[in-house]
Amino acid sequence: MKKLKTILLLLLALQLTGCIVFKSVSYEVTVNSDGTGTALVIIEDINTDATTKETIDNDVKSILEHGLKSQAFIDDMKSEGKIIKSRNVIVEKEKLSAIVGYEFSDISKVEGMQFDDPYYYLTIPTTDSIISTNGQVTKTAEYQRIVWDKSITTLKFKMYSDDTSKEGLKSLAPYYLKEN
């Protein structure tokens, strides 16, 4: 009986929390000669797997109130070495996307990118999917690496996150439009 109660509580907890799911994330990183720069991040087709109105509302609020409007988000990003310069949410073709622009003083603040003269590079797990890049991709059994020559001043890459057409996912676009 105790196990049954535990399972029921776990199922209830899972229904009361939603998870934000998005299709892809792209980066456009502009690097200055001194190693500082800017990054433009676009998170495309934002959805939720929440099953109740309350949890969907919580997911929308987390994007709108925390990510889009709060000082806490700016402070969180600043503690990671990212100085937020812009943040916006847009709806195109009934899909919600978030756009964040920030400045950095060290390339390693952008997803752990590195500079080893004369190359910039990003090392990611083999399980991650690279959709596109203006760099060169190298794959090994242990990792994937995108490499850019330092003559390239705008480093671009786009990563796949999840299948947003899966059953049970709901686009957050209509909920965002309803709030605004």
Side-chain angles (χ1 to χ4, degrees), residues 19 21 26 79 93-94 112:
C19 182
V21 178
S26 61
S79 73
K93 298 180 184 174
E94 300 178 6

Side-chain angles (χ1 to χ4, degrees), residues 142-165:
E142 294 83 34
Y143 61 83
Q144 299 178 82
R145 183 170 285 159
I146 306 172
V147 180
W148 297 268
D149 183 270
K150 74 176 182 182
S151 65
I152 301 171
T153 57
T154 301
L155 317 175
K156 299 178 184 181
F157 62 99
K158 184 174 186 176
M159 307 289 295
Y160 175 78
S161 178
D162 209 340
D163 177 6
T164 54
S165 65

